[in-house]
Amino acid sequence: MPTLEDNAGAILTQSLAIIEWLEETHPEPPLLPKDPLRRAKVRAFALALACDTHPVQNLKVLARLRQLGLPKEKVTEWAASANREGLSACEILIAGESGPFCFGGAPTMADLCLVPQLANARRFGVDLGGFPRLLKAEAAAKDNKAFADAAPERQPDAE
Ligand SMILES: N[C@@H](CCC(=O)N[C@@H](CS)C(=O)NCC(=O)O)C(=O)O
């Protein structure tokens, strides 16, 4: 998860590879800015979450820490601190961006990575009060139909 099957039956995996494929095959509306420097900034933000933050607090890592003998509260603290570190970096990356989304007035790949990471941070009890700019982007996403439709609780197999 996530996995995407295209119309010809090809199976795509890895969220950022899927997002890049969507960008190339369905370019409107764009998920990346036109300017190469801005594109690199959006990708850097997305990678700060997808490569530096999410994997460290992923379920299989947490299960392994439990197997190695770390108590449950310490495992949760590990996950919370990974989220705090990643989100702190991201807050700085967009501090100068007026928004309301991470990079401008429309969602980009950065917002696609941010929204689920904030949900993870809440799951591990992270106080998000220190991340006002990230919360502003999340609030903008909440008003966007595509984000609302993608919410886990809206999926057909949600419990
Ligand atoms: N790097 C992968 C991560 C995929 C991933 O970790 N998916 C989660 C669900 S959102 C998962 O399978 N978690 C179960 C686990 O960690 O074992 C991506 O970006 O697609």
Side-chain angles (χ1 to χ4, degrees):
M1 268 244 305
T3 301
L4 184 145
E5 184 176 351
D6 78 359
N7 290 338
I11 304 289
L12 303 180
T13 59
Q14 287 293 341
S15 50
L16 287 181
I18 294 171
I19 291 168
E20 293 275 0
W21 177 87
L22 285 170
E23 181 71 358
E24 287 164 13
T25 56
H26 301 74
E28 290 301 327
L31 294 170
L32 286 169
K34 291 261 178 291
D35 173 57
L37 184 62
R38 300 277 298 159
R39 291 165 80 85
K41 284 179 184 280
V42 170
R43 286 188 168 113
F45 184 105
L47 289 166
L49 294 176
C51 291
D52 293 350
T53 308
H54 179 265
V56 186
Q57 53 88 87
N58 209 353
L59 287 183
K60 69 179 170 206
V61 172
L62 304 187
R64 186 82 180 116
L65 290 174
R66 285 287 281 146
Q67 276 172 7
L68 291 171
L70 211 58
K72 205 167 169 216
E73 328 69 82
K74 292 281 177 202
V75 171
T76 302
E77 181 42 36
W78 164 288
S81 74
N83 274 276
R84 272 193 292 272
E85 268 179 37
L87 294 175
S88 299
C90 287
E91 179 76 15
I92 293 167
L93 288 177
I94 60 168
E97 295 284 335
S98 55
F101 287 97
C102 289
F103 291 89
T108 63
M109 192 183 285
D111 301 278
L112 270 52
C113 293
L114 175 63
V115 169
Q117 195 64 54
L118 287 172
N120 267 357
R122 286 193 183 94
R123 190 149 61 94
F124 297 119
V126 175
D127 175 3
L128 298 176
F131 307 116
R133 184 60 190 84
L134 300 183
L135 292 179
K136 179 177 170 178
E138 185 191 42
K142 279 214 169 87
D143 291 337
N144 179 289
K145 184 178 174 339
F147 280 90
D149 289 347
E153 63 274 14
R154 295 280 301 272
Q155 304 317 302
D157 59 349
E159 287 172 8

